[in-house]
Amino acid sequence: MLSIKEIFIYVGSRLGDKSKTLKFINNVLDEVYNSIGHDKVKVTTYTAKDTKINRCEGCLGCFLTGKCSLDKEDDMKTIKDNMLRSDIIILATPVYVHNVSGDMKIFIDRISYWTHLMRLSGKIGIVASTSGGNGLELVNNYLYKIMTYMGVKIKGKFGVCEDNIDENYIKSVEKFSRVIIEYIKGKKVETDDILEAVFKATKNTMEKLRPYKSAEFQYWKESKLIECNSFKEVLEMLR
């Protein structure tokens, strides 16, 4: 019997039920539920409208101590806990001037120190964007880069024009849902060349911090990442 998989979703839109980005994600989830039912997966969805996430103050405290003082003042502690517990991470945003929404950027800023920790290693990720015109590829590539540096194995980049429920939209929904379903059914997370390169570069940086009282090196030591010689070894350790 398969264990229940958890999915974390953050949608960087303030439009709530009127959000076309959220509608796209919900269309995907409907396909998942129709295929495997509701009992094989637990989904936690956050949107910019229903969460309080304060702007990063640029104090660098998270890099120096491994903690963010703002987590006591908003929803980020709960959000981070849900991300760490989840098996699949989905970030979705409307395109604003060829970039992520302001709320998505604030969300990323608040977990930016995780890029030094590869904090989400062992998880798969999917990124998605919606646009009335263009900018989809630029936005998806940015989200791909950020999540990869956090250790996430990206298995899909989906961009749709929000006003056109056309063949491309339908195919994107179907393909998106298939990616989720195959991991719910037990497909293993695998490494790739980009993750290996990120791991090697980040480990080299951590080794330079070894002589100092660094929260980042301490995390690498306690999590045993520093003992691994490749990201493949990290994944094997986490299984």
Side-chain angles (χ1 to χ4, degrees), residues 111-138:
I111 56 173
S112 59
Y113 67 106
W114 282 5
T115 60
H116 290 183
L117 308 178
M118 300 196 79
R119 193 66 176 87
L120 300 178
S121 296
K123 306 178 188 301
I124 72 150
I126 306 168
V127 301
S129 59
T130 62
S131 170
N134 50 41
L136 298 169
E137 185 175 2
L138 287 168

Side-chain angles (χ1 to χ4, degrees), residues 32-116:
V32 173
Y33 295 141
N34 289 338
S35 176
I36 64 171
H38 287 72
D39 60 337
K40 301 291 191 303
V41 60
K42 178 182 177 181
V43 179
T44 303
T45 303
Y46 294 95
T47 77
K49 181 179 181 180
D50 58 34
T51 53
K52 179 185 178 183
I53 302 178
N54 295 327
R55 290 180 176 84
C56 171
E57 295 181 347
C59 68
L60 300 180
C62 58
F63 291 99
L64 298 173
T65 67
K67 299 178 181 179
C68 176
S69 61
L70 296 177
D71 286 355
K72 300 175 183 178
E73 303 173 10
D74 59 16
D75 297 325
M76 278 305 291
K77 184 181 185 306
T78 299
I79 290 172
K80 289 176 182 177
D81 288 343
N82 278 319
M83 291 184 80
L84 293 171
R85 187 171 60 244
S86 295
D87 304 286
I88 301 171
I89 308 291
I90 298 172
L91 300 186
T93 181
V95 174
Y96 286 3
V97 199
H98 283 199
N99 212 321
V100 298
S101 70
D103 288 291
M104 177 62 80
K105 185 60 173 67
I106 290 170
F107 169 80
I108 291 171
D109 287 347
R110 290 288 302 280
I111 56 173
S112 59
Y113 67 106
W114 282 5
T115 60
H116 290 183

Side-chain angles (χ1 to χ4, degrees), residues 1 11 15-16 18 21 24-25 53 61 72 78 101 107-108 168-169 173 178 182 186 191 213 225 230 232 234 238:
M1 182 176 179
V11 178
L15 294 179
K18 296 180 180 179
T21 309
F24 175 53
I25 297 300
I53 302 178
K72 300 175 183 178
T78 299
S101 70
F107 169 80
I108 291 171
N168 176 66
Y169 186 100
V173 169
R178 285 198 300 270
E182 66 182 5
T191 189
K213 294 181 179 180
L225 287 177
S230 67
K232 182 179 180 181
V234 173
L238 292 172

